[in-house]
Amino acid sequence: MVDNGALSAYYNYRTVTKQFQNRDENVTATERKELSEKMTHSKRFKLAVTAALLVVVFATSAMAAKVTATANVNVRQKASTSSKVLTVMKKGTSRTVLATSKNGKWYKVKMNGKTGYVNKNYMTKGSAETSSASFYTNVCTKANSLLGKRYVWGATGPNSFDCSGYTQYIYKYCGKSIPRTSSAQYASCKKVSKSKLKKGYLVFFSSRAGGSSVGHVAIYIGNNKIAHAANSSVGVITSNLNSAYYSSHYVGAGYY
């Protein structure tokens, strides 16, 4: 903690400095010596207070850091795999890092009212929200990088795809495993309305206008555009989600 006396001395530093800099020729040698001593004293306080403030800032920053579990992970009493398990931090759960072990391999967190350590190898930096946003950004980047690849029925990449092979390949590349077929992907994803589509979400279509059974899947990449393995004639392309064809064949959308 920085005490009030130190803070007062710090702010007094500027006042003393100004006095010293604005001295005129009539100032006596004794007065100059007193001002010089004040300057030295204030500088020392300034350095001490600045250092203390930096410690507070960096400590606060470190304490505010969050991590998210990439799998179900044990919260242990001590930073060791042989230590007692207090509770479990479930996959996708985010917690603030209270401290880091001396060897840097464990994070101290509070979970279910208990404070313990989780293995760094099963954590990713950032909150679940941040990690999720990063994932979908990566999905769109990868989807765009594969434009122009061939469409081959039953293909799952990396050089040719069918529609669900394309989405499955990209999601797996970015860190999430999803089912193989478009209908299974639709059945297992979390549904979202068309008006709440976000980049990286999956969009599903029927093979016939007005149909309700899923026969095609694409990735929403923003600005009413989808990226998908369309057919053997055009391969992997982007299309307008609001076009007459895709509007009439639209079934739903979802995310993982």
Side-chain angles (χ1 to χ4, degrees):
M1 294 292 291
V2 180
D3 62 51
N4 292 332
L7 287 174
S8 296
Y10 171 68
Y11 287 113
N12 184 51
Y13 169 79
R14 286 182 293 181
T15 302
V16 175
T17 302
K18 189 173 182 181
Q19 288 177 346
F20 191 80
Q21 292 174 339
N22 293 340
R23 67 189 185 283
D24 58 39
E25 295 179 356
N26 296 319
V27 175
T28 66
T30 301
E31 290 173 331
R32 288 177 186 276
K33 183 178 180 181
E34 289 178 351
L35 282 172
S36 181
E37 290 176 350
K38 284 184 178 180
M39 276 283 289
T40 301
H41 181 68
S42 293
K43 281 182 178 179
R44 287 173 180 168
F45 267 106
K46 180 189 177 183
L47 291 172
V49 172
T50 300
L53 289 174
L54 285 173
V55 170
V56 172
V57 169
F58 284 117
T60 301
S61 176
M63 295 293 277
K66 284 194 173 184
V67 291
T68 301
T70 57
N72 290 341
V73 58
N74 291 326
V75 179
R76 297 183 179 274
Q77 190 172 39
K78 296 181 180 180
S80 169
T81 54
S82 61
S83 182
K84 178 183 177 182
V85 175
L86 301 177
T87 184
V88 174
M89 184 173 175
K90 292 186 177 181
K91 180 180 179 180
T93 303
S94 299
R95 284 294 181 270
T96 298
V97 176
L98 304 177
T100 302
S101 64
K102 290 183 179 180
N103 61 13
K105 296 181 179 180
W106 297 79
Y107 293 129
K108 187 176 184 179
V109 299
K110 188 172 184 178
M111 188 75 205
N112 298 331
K114 298 178 179 180
T115 300
Y117 292 85
V118 290
N119 194 306
K120 183 179 179 180
N121 292 333
Y122 301 99
M123 297 289 130
T124 183
K125 291 182 178 180
S127 65
E129 292 76 15
T130 301
S131 298
S132 178
S134 177
F135 169 79
Y136 289 114
T137 296
N138 292 338
V139 164
C140 290
T141 299
K142 189 60 179 177
N144 283 316
S145 75
L146 296 174
L147 295 176
K149 295 292 185 179
R150 293 184 306 134
Y151 176 99
V152 175
W153 188 86
T156 58
N159 296 312
S160 58
F161 307 88
D162 63 13
C163 68
S164 56
Y166 175 69
T167 53
Q168 184 191 49
Y169 175 85
I170 292 171
Y171 266 54
K172 184 176 181 180
Y173 179 90
C174 295
K176 289 186 180 181
S177 296
I178 61 175
R180 171 65 184 91
T181 66
S182 58
S183 57
Q185 289 175 13
Y186 183 63
S188 61
C189 72
K190 297 176 182 178
K191 309 302 186 292
V192 64
S193 65
K194 192 175 184 180
S195 63
K196 293 185 178 180
L197 267 174
K198 292 183 179 181
K199 292 181 180 181
Y201 284 12
L202 299 181
V203 187
F204 301 89
F205 306 90
S206 176
S207 299
R208 60 183 181 84
S212 58
S213 60
V214 173
H216 187 66
V217 60
I219 295 173
Y220 183 69
I221 56 174
N223 298 320
N224 296 317
K225 295 287 186 180
I226 56 173
H228 59 139
N231 53 57
S232 57
S233 298
V234 296
V236 179
I237 60 170
T238 61
S239 300
N240 190 329
L241 178 60
N242 293 331
S243 68
Y245 179 86
Y246 288 106
S247 291
S248 63
H249 288 69
Y250 179 84
V251 175
Y255 66 96
Y256 286 88

